[in-house]
Amino acid sequence: MNLKPATLAQIDEVITHYPVKRSATLPLLHLIQEDVGYIPEEAIPWIAAKLELQPINVYEVVTFYPMFRRKPIGRRHIKVCRTLSCALLGGYKTCSALEKEFNTHLGEVSPDGEVTIDFVECLASCGTAPVVMIDDELHEKVDPAKAKQLADQIRADAKRRI
Amino acid sequence: MPAPTQRRLIFEHIDEPGYTNDLACYQKHGGYAVLRQAVTRKPEELIDEVKKSGLRGRGGAGFPCGVKWGLVDRKSGKPIYLIVNADESEPGTFKDRYIMHQDPHQLIEGTMISCFANNVKQAYIYIRGEMPHGARILEKAIAEARAANFVGPNILGTGYSCEIYVHRGAGAYICGEETGLIESLEGKRANPRIKPPYFPAVLGLYQCPTIVNNVETLCHVKHIAAMGGEAYAKIGTPGNTGTRIFCVSGHVQRPGYYEFEAGRITMGQLINEVCGGPLPGRTFKAVIPGGSSAKILRFGERFKGKRKVGAEMVDYDWGVEDVPMDFDSLAMIGTMGGSGGVIVMDDTVNMVEALANINAFYSHESCGQCTPCREGSLWMKRITTRMVHGQARTEDAALLKGVADQIPGRTICAFGEACSWPTQSFLAKFGDEFKGYAEAKGKNAERANILI
């Protein structure tokens, strides 16, 4: 696990926010996931040592919180809200449209490696349903037509990167 | 009767053209003047103002904020912590998001006033993991407030010091439960704690006295400190003071957030006039009035009884449209005001499918600590999903009720109630639809959306 110097600095800084080091478990997991893309196996003992815990204390946290991933995902992470308000306005259709666009299934990396699509629970933007998060960005009122536009945008970004 | 006009107290500047979330803009609109004035007063006076205001928590339970503060153990000598519950995740609720993204300094000012009143030296804002922008905006706003001496050491030269840090969650709904949130902030799984003995006011974060308040509640504190508790109590209705933000989603013409004086608007005014009524060619069928855990209401049902108006008892005979949207009236008709999330469903929705969607949510979000909740929520999901995607049987309604009835009252936290109330109330209000689902299934497919 090779963390960027900036990540290491942020890790040392965030630990100072708490009178008890263990509280920094979630922040450290977030910082490592943002840097590496997922929580690699070696991160667990590393965090435990850093926070003076047992590896099990970190492991049980990683497995409890849905946002932490233990495997790499596609370059972009698409999270489609599944919960009632979004479903009432077509969230499931939006999700299938995106799966079709990228020729993939929920939870898998698309064949081009570009995206992983996940269904997630309520994203707290029910008034602009259906909503989709792409990485850190929230997209509102995503019907199948808008889903196609977003997919085109992701592919255009990918081309630009090459 | 026409709907009252909105009274925007908390959402005064939300969506206002030209209003930005930086300190300069906030101060141009009078920001931090209330904090400046508050720190010159005695902390006990501020607590008294909040008690007099009648403010009830906006996170869901509607517990009086002044009473919550009054329960804090101030004799132990341990530090007192304040946690801002910004883990907005009750399905149907989306108000705190806009406060944090568009007006973060209002939250910081309310938080600092509350910290000063309660002699808190360290506050944490526990924000949902799914709001990374919100977390960054809050961090930037706190840094600005720190630079201007509104947060940090020796605030405004008073000798009083208090720090705020932002702490991100990671996708678990149960972190909205205050003791689960505390466990999570301690770096553990968010398994709620048993009460007694772990009342946060006595044994909270790091076993120290802790206040956990919702984002909106703390914003109200700022306005109470500004106008005084008595003046604030005149807004709204007795017992339901101040303003309430309603988040309306689902099948209405104009979903969104609307702020009114509490108890001054009825369900009918809100969804018909303010939100423009049902979509073309459709009629309202059901509404969940306070986040997905609140018991569902069926259009056409009537509620009768006696209620107190001033000193007198008067009869009421309400349809769903006539119910005033306040904590007490909604409790009287067997549901709750909760977090203000109103989810509207029209005649295209099949109730078995809607319940299957809600059950999938609760099954996913149960922390797994108590058997009745972990297993019960899973079986309610399995049964309703099987009804939709597999075979539906007439006896499924009784089976579901049998599972749901064994959960509430048998769990450590209120999630047990929250996950069983939807099933219980859907069955009570739409029992026929469950019994006849095998025949009805798929008949409405071209009009309805897939819900599970």
Side-chain angles (χ1 to χ4, degrees):
Chain A
M1 194 173 66
N2 271 324
L3 296 175
K4 297 186 185 91
T7 306
L8 290 167
Q10 280 176 291
I11 283 174
D12 288 330
E13 197 276 329
V14 83
I15 294 172
T16 66
H17 291 189
Y18 309 95
V20 176
K21 280 188 174 178
R22 185 173 184 173
S23 281
T25 309
L26 258 67
L28 261 55
L29 287 165
H30 275 302
L31 287 167
I32 290 174
Q33 181 157 289
E34 276 157 26
D35 185 327
V36 183
Y38 68 104
I39 306 293
E41 205 55 44
E42 62 266 35
I44 291 170
W46 189 89
I47 292 173
K50 192 87 188 160
L51 301 179
E52 295 160 31
L53 302 169
Q54 296 302 317
I56 181 68
N57 303 135
V58 181
Y59 182 71
E60 65 172 3
V61 169
V62 175
T63 55
F64 184 86
Y65 294 91
M67 279 179 74
F68 298 127
R69 320 179 271 272
R70 309 203 43 224
K71 300 189 293 236
I73 54 167
R75 278 182 286 274
R76 310 290 295 272
H77 194 189
I78 304 180
K79 292 184 257 191
V80 185
C81 176
R82 189 210 66 82
T83 319
L84 189 58
S85 299
C86 281
L88 286 171
L89 293 173
Y92 275 74
K93 256 184 244 159
T94 300
C95 192
S96 333
L98 287 165
E99 283 177 287
K100 214 178 274 170
E101 282 293 327
F102 291 102
N103 185 28
T104 185
H105 296 290
L106 287 180
E108 293 172 8
V109 181
S110 61
D112 57 2
E114 200 51 38
V115 301
T116 292
I117 303 171
D118 278 318
F119 245 158
V120 295
E121 298 298 347
C122 189
L123 290 171
S125 187
C126 320
T128 55
V131 294
V132 172
M133 269 185 93
I134 301 177
D135 301 328
D136 284 357
E137 218 57 58
L138 182 79
H139 299 271
E140 304 176 305
K141 297 184 182 171
V142 185
D143 56 12
K146 191 164 172 192
K148 177 153 193 334
Q149 285 173 19
L150 292 173
D152 289 342
Q153 185 62 49
I154 288 174
R155 284 187 288 256
D157 291 347
K159 273 209 191 104
R160 208 167 307 134
R161 205 175 44 234
I162 305 159
Chain B
M1 211 168 54
T5 46
Q6 284 199 65
R7 168 111 189 232
R8 286 198 165 201
L9 196 64
I10 307 299
F11 271 24
E12 188 185 353
H13 300 298
I14 300 296
D15 296 335
E16 182 181 306
Y19 191 85
T20 50
N21 59 20
D22 53 285
L23 180 65
C25 180
Y26 187 65
Q27 285 192 291
K28 206 162 68 197
H29 290 79
Y32 290 105
V34 188
L35 176 66
R36 276 181 201 285
Q37 201 256 332
V39 294
T40 65
R41 299 177 68 181
K42 285 206 183 89
E44 306 80 59
E45 275 177 41
L46 293 166
I47 296 181
D48 267 347
E49 297 288 3
V50 172
K51 283 185 179 160
K52 274 189 257 172
S53 75
L55 174 65
R56 295 172 70 168
R58 298 300 201 258
F63 192 77
C65 182
V67 176
K68 195 179 235 185
W69 290 6
L71 293 171
V72 172
D73 178 5
R74 296 172 202 280
K75 296 199 186 94
S76 66
K78 294 193 249 183
I80 301 168
Y81 290 101
L82 186 141
I83 307 173
V84 183
N85 187 342
D87 192 56
E88 177 164 68
S89 29
E90 177 71 17
T93 314
F94 50 94
K95 56 190 177 65
D96 301 340
R97 162 188 288 282
Y98 296 97
I99 298 171
M100 293 187 286
H101 284 79
Q102 295 188 31
D103 204 2
H105 283 287
Q106 181 182 199
L107 171 61
I108 294 167
E109 186 171 11
T111 303
M112 290 312 294
I113 295 167
S114 305
C115 287
F116 178 76
N118 289 290
N119 195 26
V120 170
K121 305 285 168 61
Q122 177 66 59
Y124 292 99
I125 302 179
Y126 189 106
I127 184 170
R128 290 191 68 161
E130 294 90 338
M131 293 183 180
H133 276 317
R136 282 194 283 271
I137 289 166
L138 284 169
E139 271 168 358
K140 178 176 155 268
I142 292 167
E144 286 176 332
R146 195 180 287 128
N149 198 213
F150 299 128
V151 171
N154 190 19
I155 292 165
L156 299 168
T158 55
Y160 168 72
S161 305
C162 181
E163 193 48 80
I164 309 182
Y165 291 121
V166 176
H167 185 95
R168 289 181 65 202
Y173 167 78
I174 196 61
C175 295
E177 199 279 341
E178 58 180 5
T179 61
L181 187 156
I182 289 170
E183 284 283 305
S184 178
L185 188 45
E186 289 186 1
K188 304 170 191 162
R189 290 183 156 216
N191 292 343
R193 296 173 175 175
I194 197 154
K195 298 187 263 189
Y198 298 108
F199 291 107
V202 184
L203 294 171
L205 185 62
Y206 312 124
Q207 301 300 317
C208 295
T210 303
I211 298 167
V212 185
N213 279 141
N214 170 262
V215 168
E216 187 196 337
T217 310
L218 290 166
C219 293
H220 281 281
V221 170
K222 179 202 140 171
H223 297 279
I224 291 164
M227 66 176 84
E230 273 167 33
Y232 179 92
K234 292 198 180 95
I235 307 172
T237 51
N240 288 274
T241 57
T243 59
R244 272 231 85 178
I245 298 167
F246 298 106
C247 313
V248 187
S249 64
H251 295 146
V252 291
Q253 304 249 12
R254 290 188 293 276
Y257 34 82
Y258 304 96
E259 186 174 359
F260 290 94
E261 289 199 29
R264 299 261 185 231
I265 188 164
T266 63
M267 176 67 87
Q269 289 169 330
L270 179 66
I271 61 178
N272 281 314
E273 291 172 48
V274 179
C275 298
L279 299 171
R282 311 221 192 142
T283 51
F284 288 143
K285 180 173 184 178
V287 60
I288 301 175
S292 73
S293 316
K295 292 188 177 177
I296 196 164
L297 302 172
R298 176 180 187 153
F299 284 89
E301 65 177 321
R302 297 208 70 85
F303 311 95
K304 292 177 190 169
K306 278 189 187 298
R307 67 183 183 126
K308 219 172 161 184
V309 176
E312 280 172 69
M313 294 301 283
V314 296
D315 289 311
Y316 68 87
D317 178 3
W318 289 332
V320 172
E321 294 87 343
D322 308 319
V323 181
M325 295 293 287
D326 61 68
F327 288 116
D328 297 329
S329 303
L330 287 162
M332 230 155 42
I333 61 161
T335 182
M336 64 177 185
S339 52
V342 179
I343 307 174
V344 186
M345 286 170 258
D346 66 25
D347 57 334
T348 63
V349 179
N350 182 287
M351 287 301 138
V352 177
E353 293 161 18
L355 181 64
N357 180 290
I358 295 177
N359 284 348
F361 173 81
Y362 286 105
S363 173
H364 183 259
E365 300 300 342
S366 172
C367 82
Q369 191 177 202
C370 310
T371 311
C373 169
R374 181 187 65 242
E375 299 302 315
S377 62
L378 176 68
W379 279 105
M380 291 191 293
K381 172 191 129 171
R382 284 190 165 178
I383 297 165
T384 42
T385 309
R386 189 235 319 129
M387 288 174 78
V388 178
H389 291 304
Q391 196 194 3
R393 311 169 190 138
T394 16
E395 60 268 30
D396 284 333
L399 180 61
L400 276 168
K401 185 169 185 309
V403 177
D405 287 352
Q406 293 180 71
I407 306 170
R410 296 185 171 92
T411 56
I412 287 172
C413 81
F415 190 102
E417 280 74 23
C419 76
S420 52
W421 283 347
T423 295
Q424 289 176 331
S425 65
F426 273 66
L427 286 166
K429 304 285 171 76
F430 296 96
D432 295 347
E433 214 163 297
F434 282 77
K435 289 195 186 104
Y437 185 64
E439 289 84 64
K441 204 162 134 173
K443 294 218 170 105
N444 203 17
E446 71 291 344
R447 289 182 80 207
N449 269 314
I450 304 164
L451 300 182
I452 186 69

